[in-house]
Amino acid sequence: MTPTQATARITYRIVPVKHWARWIAAIATAAVLVWIVASFAGAQIDWPTVGEYFTFPAIVSGMGITVALTVVSMLIGIALGVLVAVMRLSSNPVVSGIAWIYVWFFRGTPVYLQLLLWFNIALVFPVVGIPGLIEGRTVDVVSPFVAAILGLGLNQGAYTSEVVRAGILSVDEGQGEAAKALGLPGTATMRTVVLPQAMRVILPPIGNETIGMLKTTSLASAIGASEVLNEAQHVYLVNNMIMELLIVSGIWYLLAVSVLSVIQYYVERRFAKGSSSKALPLTPWQKVVWFFTSRRSVA
Amino acid sequence: MSIQPLVQLESITKNFGPNEVLKGVDLEVSSGEVVCILGPSGSGKSTLLRCINFIEQPTSGLVFVGDEVIGHRRTEDPEVLQQVHENAIARQRSEIGMVFQRFNLFPHMTVLENITHAPRLVRGHSAAVANEAAMALLEKVGLADRAAAYPRQLSGGQQQRVAIARALAMEPRLMLFDEPTSALDPELVGEVLKVMKELAAGGLTMIVVTHEIGFAREVADRVVFMDGGVIVEQGSPAEVIGNPQNPRTRAFLSRVLK
Ligand SMILES: Nc1ncnc2c1ncn2[C@@H]1O[C@H](COP(=O)(O)OP(=O)(O)O)[C@@H](O)[C@H]1O
Ligand SMILES: [Mg+2]
């Protein structure tokens, strides 16, 4: 300890950390990108055709079917998932046993096989309906669209039930006990106390699975559902523009997934409210706004 | 005229697998009485409370509260009791309030919603009626200004007072307290005990599991000492706390009164 240290302070120059790895990674990535773009540009791809078929009626209606399949199958999957999760946690061994068998079967077989199974269900049940009231030939009722919804929805239910079960188990046991002690019946306890709190755990994987479902619907082309990939195949079998139409459907999928990702972000944010004493972080859009407005005020 | 006790426990036993937690407990509590249960950790105090409102179903024995036999329905044959389903038990539970060590408020609801939830859902009260009753209760526990807050924004003592108000909103004829101040910082214990003292003075029937010997001595009409799943000794606070007869009671009191 010399007296000079206390009196004359050195004004240090701060040298920032150099992020060498970032630079190398960025350059390598750029090189690979250039190579991929160059390959596609040089290949026998007719880009005007891509643009032309992007809004081709069959492709657009196929995309509509893809979205419809996704939405309906997810709704069925979530409804079944909640039901089966609650059944699995039931103290009634028959109820939990049925739920266990359901999950065992639908998780244990490929969804592709399940789609084929539903499409050919008429081989097992030639007639459906309530005898004497409404009856119909199964082949008429189970169209490719219906078979796809049954296959995708029931399969999704098995996966969602595991997600919901994990969410329910994540809620403190004392919550259910407090509701019980107040005299709430079991269903009201589940609906108004446990499930709302389980949502924070349930939602992120559900978002993921919705995005997965959007792409899995393409399997329904195997049973003739007229979703976007099936339509693309129909078109390129006629005009032989294979790469072009695959690119068209690829762009459509990317667009839809991007929209879903944004929706997922805001839904999760909404359910995070009140769960922490900290303020929520800014959304990307808020960050952009903040970046520009704060710069201006500093200058 | 002999007065029928409000609560009557008849040889309650409870096993968790091979673990015999309650080994035959008999207890009677009259209307308006405050009974404090003392005993070392693991002696089965919480389990006994939870058997009273059937959050835990006793392995054997009967619980009478008023003219109800919890978990059962009387039949024409006075010697036959019919077990009932979960929803019927829920209705019986709604007459018995319970306050937990860890408060167990619903974190996704405001203080007011916590209190009005069960009256609206179980009793079918309108929002206006339930809100008015809830505000009166919040006034009583000194938290009328926090009606719109969420539980996470309150201190432990405030949360426990809301939990008491929530239980009272169902107008129970019996209140069970399971170590209501054990999870609180020492400086917050007093505000909760104060509310409980007022309830006792107001004539509410209360069974309180507690380690607050001072509270038991001052407020209890009767003190029950439990150990190893049985009631070892009971009597007035002066008898059990002031002049314990059983060596196990003496050993326990000398430990907690140090
Ligand atoms: N749900 C349960 N499953 C298994 N054992 C339990 C359960 N609840 C309590 N016990 C056991 O019963 C005994 C008594 O517990 P408890 O009634 O909580 O005692 P206390 O409240 O007097 O501390 C303990 O040994 C505890 O481990
Ligand atoms: Mg306990």
Side-chain angles (χ1 to χ4, degrees):
Chain A
M1 268 275 199
T2 57
T4 47
Q5 268 181 319
T7 49
R9 283 215 188 155
I10 305 168
T11 43
Y12 292 102
R13 191 169 58 86
I14 309 294
V15 182
V17 175
K18 294 255 188 340
H19 294 285
W20 294 114
R22 286 187 197 173
W23 282 103
I24 294 168
I27 291 165
T29 310
V32 171
L33 267 178
V34 166
W35 174 71
I36 291 176
V37 170
S39 308
F40 269 84
Q44 295 278 320
I45 293 172
D46 184 19
W47 291 100
T49 306
V50 171
E52 186 186 318
Y53 276 98
F54 188 69
T55 51
F56 191 66
I59 296 290
V60 172
S61 89
M63 197 57 210
I65 298 285
T66 294
V67 170
L69 277 177
T70 305
V71 170
V72 178
S73 305
M74 275 318 285
L75 288 179
I76 292 175
I78 290 168
L80 271 175
V82 172
L83 181 72
V84 171
V86 173
M87 284 172 68
R88 274 218 51 194
L89 295 168
S90 161
S91 55
N92 180 336
V94 178
V95 171
S96 67
I98 292 170
W100 187 87
I101 289 171
Y102 168 81
V103 174
W104 172 77
F105 178 79
F106 286 97
R107 260 199 339 180
T109 53
V111 65
Y112 190 30
L113 182 148
Q114 289 171 36
L115 285 170
L116 293 173
L117 209 72
W118 285 110
F119 188 58
N120 295 298
I121 198 71
L123 299 176
V124 186
F125 303 102
V127 181
V128 286
I130 305 157
L133 268 174
I134 348 159
E135 276 180 274
R137 291 197 316 143
T138 306
V139 273
D140 300 332
V141 177
V142 183
S143 65
F145 186 80
V146 170
I149 280 174
L150 285 172
L152 296 171
L154 287 169
N155 183 70
Q156 187 57 42
Y159 282 92
T160 309
S161 79
E162 289 296 282
V163 170
V164 174
R165 194 167 67 99
I168 290 172
L169 291 176
S170 78
V171 177
D172 179 25
E173 265 184 312
Q175 292 293 307
E177 279 177 10
K180 234 177 162 183
L182 285 165
L184 260 69
T187 45
T189 300
M190 187 51 74
R191 187 171 53 81
T192 64
V193 173
V194 177
L195 280 179
Q197 294 183 60
M199 277 315 237
R200 244 165 19 92
V201 172
I202 294 173
L203 276 176
I206 294 277
N208 244 352
E209 299 203 342
T210 308
I211 287 171
M213 175 63 84
L214 185 86
K215 294 174 295 176
T216 309
T217 54
S218 61
L219 286 182
S221 63
I223 56 171
S226 45
E227 48 74 53
V228 70
L229 198 59
N230 194 13
E231 293 295 342
Q233 283 170 317
H234 281 309
V235 176
Y236 73 57
L237 284 177
V238 175
N239 68 4
N240 216 25
M241 298 277 195
I242 299 175
M243 255 312 159
E244 288 77 1
L245 278 141
L246 290 180
I247 290 172
V248 164
S249 14
I251 294 173
W252 270 113
Y253 279 117
L254 282 172
L255 268 177
V257 169
S258 306
V259 170
L260 283 179
S261 303
V262 173
I263 295 174
Q264 180 185 15
Y265 177 84
Y266 281 97
V267 170
E268 278 175 26
R269 212 179 136 81
R270 195 188 155 81
F271 273 87
K273 256 180 201 163
S275 67
S276 155
S277 47
K278 286 187 225 154
L280 288 172
L282 296 178
T283 64
W285 174 245
Q286 284 170 334
K287 276 185 200 159
V288 169
V289 172
W290 180 84
F291 181 79
F292 285 107
T293 50
S294 67
R295 272 297 159 88
R296 218 170 286 144
S297 63
V298 166
Chain B
M1 190 178 85
S2 76
I3 306 163
Q4 178 78 15
L6 177 68
V7 184
Q8 198 175 347
L9 308 185
E10 261 184 33
S11 32
I12 301 291
T13 72
K14 178 68 188 178
N15 302 348
F16 291 109
N19 188 7
E20 232 186 326
V21 174
L22 296 177
K23 300 173 185 162
V25 176
D26 292 272
L27 182 69
E28 289 185 4
V29 181
S30 341
S31 192
E33 199 179 10
V34 176
V35 173
C36 281
I37 302 180
L38 309 180
S41 176
S43 57
K45 307 180 299 294
S46 297
T47 306
L48 182 67
L49 273 199
R50 295 153 63 85
C51 280
I52 295 176
N53 63 359
F54 262 54
I55 281 189
E56 216 73 80
Q57 187 168 351
T59 305
S60 69
L62 290 173
V63 178
F64 298 86
V65 177
D67 38 17
E68 301 262 2
V69 190
I70 307 299
H72 300 78
R73 181 164 51 75
R74 293 180 198 277
T75 59
E76 279 158 26
D77 184 341
E79 291 182 2
V80 174
L81 290 174
Q82 168 73 54
Q83 287 190 336
V84 295
H85 281 290
E86 191 55 35
N87 281 1
I89 302 178
R91 194 184 43 73
Q92 293 177 323
R93 276 192 200 111
S94 70
E95 311 268 314
I96 304 170
M98 189 166 200
V99 173
F100 300 85
Q101 184 175 347
R102 301 217 48 88
F103 329 136
N104 297 348
L105 290 178
F106 306 134
H108 58 303
M109 299 182 195
T110 63
V111 163
L112 192 70
E113 287 164 350
N114 262 279
I115 299 173
T116 56
H117 191 62
R120 293 183 64 181
L121 229 66
V122 178
R123 299 255 194 270
H125 289 178
S126 71
V129 168
N131 284 352
E132 197 184 317
M135 285 313 296
L137 284 167
L138 280 175
E139 198 78 53
K140 196 166 168 175
V141 300
L143 288 169
D145 54 334
R146 304 313 306 271
Y150 281 90
R152 277 197 181 82
Q153 301 166 329
L154 303 180
S155 74
Q158 292 174 327
Q159 289 192 47
Q160 193 62 297
R161 286 187 278 152
V162 172
I164 292 172
R166 177 176 71 173
L168 291 174
M170 293 298 281
E171 300 178 325
R173 45 180 163 175
L174 166 69
M175 280 281 276
L176 310 172
F177 295 83
D178 190 2
E179 300 198 31
T181 58
S182 294
L184 297 178
D185 292 337
E187 77 270 22
L188 302 177
V189 169
E191 61 190 62
V192 173
L193 291 183
K194 178 169 166 280
V195 168
M196 290 172 62
K197 278 177 203 168
E198 286 164 9
L199 293 177
L204 187 65
T205 312
M206 297 162 57
I207 304 179
V208 184
V209 172
T210 185
H211 289 305
E212 296 288 333
I213 305 294
F215 175 83
R217 202 185 333 238
E218 187 186 337
V219 182
D221 298 305
R222 186 149 44 101
V223 172
V224 171
F225 179 74
M226 274 183 78
D227 195 10
V230 292
I231 293 180
V232 173
E233 184 168 358
Q234 60 176 309
S236 70
E239 288 165 355
V240 178
I241 300 172
N243 184 22
Q245 299 302 307
N246 191 292
R248 284 196 276 177
T249 319
R250 263 185 242 147
F252 173 78
L253 286 172
S254 71
R255 258 181 290 133
V256 294
L257 286 174
K258 219 179 285 168

